[in-house]
Every structure is written in structure tokens, then in C-alpha cells.
């Protein structure tokens, strides 16, 4: 089976590529290298002994996309990762986010809907905003998004749902990821944050390795057991596995719902302070941190109810938080060597 991955050299796309290749799928990977490096291909090959077919292209370019589908007429599934993902940056550069995340999606959907190819979309728990109840299931009404980035995910979901209704035979799954963290156990692929990391785990590992002075914990007076925010941190390899199981399900199922949405999370809420403590315990390293003022726009608590994906698709998170943090630390340590 041949799977097209857009954004295939990025953080999540590279981990999905590894699993697909190991399971014997053929992978066609495209990426414009905006937020990744061609060297990721070496990491993928070092782990799997295989290389995906790779083309450096921009999914917004209709001609390039048409040529790609002409070159690979028998694509059995598409996983669409290519997008910008920095929440803060999206507030400063909304048009770039709408252009890449929305127009890019539309360009990918043109050939995909024409050929009715099963389609998996990278959505995000950001679409829920501050949900009124925990854990968050897929049926709670979506709130207004906090950022242009969040808007692009809500709009993307709506576009795909409309396409599923309009184009006979076109089915899709929207995966709402909670907080992906960690790296492949080989530490040959992982996350490359550009500039100062905005996300907790890369900032934490960069602090411990000495690239940053102090981890700021954004707020300690929230209405949570230890006063710090709570999230659902999911190992990137678990997330990768969720894509493969979702795709298999979509390809095999003759589903009548056409557009299905699933949370991808562990179901466990973990506080920022618990992250620091667990990291210190598993790595034996000290995290230099200080309590800082809350970050604007942060939701207090967000963790998934993953029952729908557990029960319908059969996927369940396997890795522990300890595994996730250890793999993030191993990745950071080898980055220092590079
Ligand atoms: P990433 O930036 O590491 O990967 C995205 C890849 O897409 C990059 O390699 C980038 O170069 C490429 N790309 C961007 N625009 C492109 C274009 N127009 N044409 C071709 N390639 C393009 O990000 P990631 O963390 O792997 O995220 C993948 C997807 O998952 C994104 O859609 C993101 O919004 C979504 N998501 C990520 C998270 C997270 O915390 N990492 C959480 C929820 C959802
Ligand atoms: C986690 C917790 C911070 C950094 C973001 C996006 C979301 C999704 C996942 C794409 C929060 C705290 C963080 C730091 C801290 N991405 N923190 N000090 O905000 O849950 O979600 O990534 O779709 O859309 O918004 O993740 O890693 O930024 O923060 O105390 O230096 O860590 O306040 O409680 P977040 P995060």
C-alpha cells in the first residue's frame, strides 16, 4: 500500500513515516523544508533501513501537486501534516497561517477528493478552547478558537466535513491531538524547534542541557491540585501508531459517517509541576525553574476522553510519561553532539 505524507520531514510526519516503512507500506513524502531539514531522511533510513520516495515541494503549488499525483497514480491514503503550528506566531502573521494551513489544505484536497482517497487530517485539541467539562470528548461543542492557528484547525475540519458530504466516496478522519512529546527511542529523529521553544518539553530539555537559563512555569495559582496547568501529554510514537490504525480503519471500513473525528490522547491529566518532577526522577537531572506569571491565552486544564478511538479503532496509548520524557531527553542530548 502506498501512502502520501505531506509535511513528512516534520516532527510528527517523520515518526509516522518510520512506523509505516517498518510495517511495509510504501511512503511518498513531500515537504517544503520550511520547518524541517533534509537530514531527517538520514535519520529515517538509519532506523528503518529504507528511504521514502521524497520530493521537496510546497503543497500550495497546484501544478506540483498535480504532477505528484500523475507520478503516483495509485496512492491508497493521504496523511496531511503540512502546516504552520506556532500559536503565538499565528497572532502576528495571521495571513501566512490562513494561507498555508487553509489554502494548503484546499490544494491537497483537490486531487484527493477527485480520486476519493482516504484522508487523515492533523487537527488539535486547540479546537476545544477551555472546555467546560473534563475529560474532553468529541461531542462537546467547540468554543471560539483562541488564535488564528486554532481557527485554521476549526476551518480545516469544516472544509473536510463539507467535502465528505459533497464528494461521493470521499472519507476522512480528523485526529485531534492533545500534547505530542518525546522522540523515537533511537534518538535519530525528534522535534527541531525553531528559535526559542514555545512548548514546555523542548524548553525544559534545552534548559537542562544548558541552552536556556531557567524554565519559567507559567502560573502556579490556578484552580488545580498543585496550582499549575494540566495537559494530556502523548508520546509521539503512540500518536504515530494512532495514524496508522486510523488509516487502516478508514481504508477497510465502508463507513457511512464519512467524516469521523477522534481525540488522540492518553486520558491522563498531568500538571506542569508533575512534568518537572517526573523528568527529574527519570533522568536524574535537576530542572532549574522559577514560577512566572500566567501565559496569556493558556487554558487551565485540558485532557482527552480517548474512549471513542479506543473502542472504535482499537488504538490506545502504550507509552508512559516516563518513556516520553526519557526519549525527549535522549533526543536533546544527541542534538548537542550534532
Ligand atoms: P512540524 O512543523 O514539525 O511539521 C510540519 C512540516 O510541514 C514541516 O516539516 C514543514 O516544513 C512542512 N510544511 C509546512 N508547510 C508546508 C507546505 N506548504 N508544503 C509542504 N510542506 C510544508 O509540525 P508537527 O509538530 O509535525 O505538526 C504536524 C501537524 O500536526 C501540523 O498540521 C500541526 O498543526 C499539527 N499538530 C501539531 C501538534 C504539536 O504539538 N506538534 C499538536 C496538534 C496538531
Ligand atoms: C504546556 C503547558 C504552559 C512552556 C500548544 C498549542 C496547541 C497544541 C499543543 C498544536 C502549559 C506550560 C509551557 C513554558 C510553561 N499544538 N508551559 N513554561 O499550550 O498546551 O498547547 O501545543 O496544535 O495548539 O497551543 O502546550 O507545551 O506550550 O504548554 O509553564 O516555557 O506548559 O503554560 O500549561 P499547550 P505547551
Amino acid at each position: 500500500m502506498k501512502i502520501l505524507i505531506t509535511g513528512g520531514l516534520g516532527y510528527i510526519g517523520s515518526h509516522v513515516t518510520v512506523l509505516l516503512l517498518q510495517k511495509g507500506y510504501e511512503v511518498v513524502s513531500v515537504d517544503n523544508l520550511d520547518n524541517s531539514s533534509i537530514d531527517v531522511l538520514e535519520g529515517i533510513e538509519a532506523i528503518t533501513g529504507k528511504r521514502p520516495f521524497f520530493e521537496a515541494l510546497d503543497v500550495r503549488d497546484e501544478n506540483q501537486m498535480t504532477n505528484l499525483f500523475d507520478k503516483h497514480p495509485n496512492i491508497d491514503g493521504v496523511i496531511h501534516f503540512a502546516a504552520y503550528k506556532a500559536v503565538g506566531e499565528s497572532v502576528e502573521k495571521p495571513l501566512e497561517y490562513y494561507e498555508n494551513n487553509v489554502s494548503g489544505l484546499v490544494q491537497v484536497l483537490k486531487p484527493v477528493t477527485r480520486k476519493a482517497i482516504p484522508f487523515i487530517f492533523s487537527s488539535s485539541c486547540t479546537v476545544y478552547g477551555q472546555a467546560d467539562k473534563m475529560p474532553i470528548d468529541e461531542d462537546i461543542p467547540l468554543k471560539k478558537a483562541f488564535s488564528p492557528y486554532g481557527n485554521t484547525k476549526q476551518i480545516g475540519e469544516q472544509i473536510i466535513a463539507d467535502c465528505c458530504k459533497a464528494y461521493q466516496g470521499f472519507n476522512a478522519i480528523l485526529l485531534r491531538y492533545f500534547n505530542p512529546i518525546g522522540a523515537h527511542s533511537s534518538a535519530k529523529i525528534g522535534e527541531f524547534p525553531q528559535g526559542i521553544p514555545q512548548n514546555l518539553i523542548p524548553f525544559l530539555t534545552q534548559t537542562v542541557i544548558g541552552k536556556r537559563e531557567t524554565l519559567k512555569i507559567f502560573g502556579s495559582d490556578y484552580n488545580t491540585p498543585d496550582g499549575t496547568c494540566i495537559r494530556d501529554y502523548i508520546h509521539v510514537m503512540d500518536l504515530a501508531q494512532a495514524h496508522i490504525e486510523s488509516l487502516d480503519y478508514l481504508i477497510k471500513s465502508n463507513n457511512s459517517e464519512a467524516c469521523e473525528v477522534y481525540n488522540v490522547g492518553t486520558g491522563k491529566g498531568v500538571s506542569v509541576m508533575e512534568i518537572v518532577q517526573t523528568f527529574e526522577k527519570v533522568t536524574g537531572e535537576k530542572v532549574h525553574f522559577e514560577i512566572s506569571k500566567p501565559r496569556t491565552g493558556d487554558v487551565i486544564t485540558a485532557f482527552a476522553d480517548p474512549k471513542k478511538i479506543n473502542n472504535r479503532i482499537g488504538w490506545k496509548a502504550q507509552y508512559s510519561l516516563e518513556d516520553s520524557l526519557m526519549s525527549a531527553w535522549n533526543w536533546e542530548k544527541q542534538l548537542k553532539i550534532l
Side-chain angles (χ1 to χ4, degrees):
M1 251 196 295
K2 197 188 257 193
I3 309 301
L4 169 64
I5 301 208
T6 73
L9 299 189
Y11 174 41
I12 304 169
S14 57
H15 289 80
V16 171
T17 300
V18 160
L19 271 194
L20 283 170
L21 291 173
Q22 285 176 331
K23 287 172 192 285
Y25 292 82
E26 223 180 308
V27 178
V28 176
S29 170
V30 300
D31 200 301
N32 67 358
L33 303 171
D34 252 21
N35 197 32
S36 54
S37 153
I38 196 76
D39 297 341
V40 173
L41 284 172
E42 309 300 329
I44 292 170
E45 192 172 6
I47 298 167
T48 64
K50 298 178 195 168
R51 251 179 199 254
F53 172 89
F54 178 73
E55 209 162 303
L57 65 74
D58 194 304
V59 297
R60 288 166 288 185
D61 186 323
E62 193 165 358
N63 288 336
Q64 287 191 318
M65 288 305 286
T66 305
N67 289 341
L68 182 80
F69 278 88
D70 287 347
K71 223 184 280 174
H72 301 280
N74 302 320
I75 287 171
D76 299 292
V78 173
I79 310 180
H80 180 54
F81 293 109
Y84 294 145
K85 64 166 177 176
V87 175
E89 187 184 60
S90 78
V91 177
E92 284 151 32
K93 301 177 178 171
L95 290 180
E96 293 182 21
Y97 273 69
Y98 288 115
E99 196 199 31
N100 202 27
N101 296 10
V102 180
S103 305
L105 169 66
V106 170
Q107 289 307 345
V108 174
L109 283 172
K110 285 180 187 170
V112 167
T113 52
R114 227 176 5 248
K115 291 164 163 264
I117 304 173
F119 186 74
I120 308 280
F121 178 62
S122 295
S123 190
S124 168
C125 63
T126 202
V127 299
Y128 293 116
Q130 178 60 74
D132 293 330
K133 72 175 178 73
M134 290 297 141
I136 302 173
D137 66 39
E138 293 84 349
D139 294 329
I140 67 167
L142 301 190
K143 295 256 185 77
K144 190 175 155 14
F146 280 9
S147 66
Y149 169 74
N151 276 333
T152 68
K153 292 296 173 189
Q154 289 190 349
I155 296 166
E157 288 195 356
Q158 192 54 58
I159 291 172
I160 296 163
D162 289 343
C163 288
C164 288
K165 278 190 213 129
Y167 303 112
Q168 177 94 37
F170 172 63
N171 290 346
I173 285 182
L174 318 174
L175 294 179
R176 292 179 180 157
Y177 318 155
F178 279 67
N179 291 57
I181 60 167
H184 189 267
S185 58
S186 65
K188 292 189 187 307
I189 54 170
E191 187 176 10
F192 285 104
Q194 302 270 1
I196 300 173
Q198 305 302 307
N199 294 118
L200 176 63
I201 305 305
F203 201 103
L204 185 157
T205 56
Q206 288 196 5
T207 304
V208 177
I209 207 96
K211 287 185 195 159
R212 315 268 157 221
E213 255 178 35
T214 308
L215 169 71
K216 289 194 166 89
I217 294 187
F218 298 139
S220 63
D221 289 325
Y222 287 112
N223 185 18
T224 61
D226 66 20
T228 64
C229 289
I230 291 177
R231 297 288 185 275
D232 186 336
Y233 296 93
I234 173 166
H235 195 300
V236 67
M237 291 307 292
D238 269 333
L239 180 58
Q241 180 67 21
H243 286 79
I244 293 172
E245 292 185 25
S246 301
L247 191 62
D248 283 347
Y249 166 88
L250 194 56
I251 290 171
K252 281 186 203 126
S253 71
N254 228 341
N255 81 50
S256 50
E257 273 184 54
C259 185
E260 295 187 16
V261 53
Y262 293 97
N263 286 337
V264 193
T266 65
K268 290 189 205 92
V270 174
S271 75
V272 179
M273 202 51 94
E274 285 172 311
I275 288 283
V276 169
Q277 288 161 353
T278 310
F279 184 90
E280 289 186 335
K281 191 180 81 199
V282 292
T283 64
E285 302 286 339
K286 191 94 200 82
V287 180
H288 190 250
F289 71 86
E290 65 187 32
I291 303 297
S292 173
K293 60 181 190 328
R295 180 170 68 176
T296 313
D298 259 342
V299 301
I300 302 168
T301 299
F303 58 97
D305 178 345
K307 274 203 283 301
K308 189 175 172 195
I309 191 166
N310 296 164
N311 295 339
R312 279 211 208 166
I313 295 190
W315 171 89
K316 200 168 190 302
Q318 302 294 330
Y319 290 87
S320 65
L321 181 64
E322 284 80 359
D323 294 330
S324 302
L325 293 175
M326 198 63 219
S327 69
W329 179 231
N330 288 337
W331 168 245
E332 185 66 65
K333 282 193 291 188
Q334 70 75 43
L335 274 179
K336 198 182 178 192
I337 300 163
L338 282 180

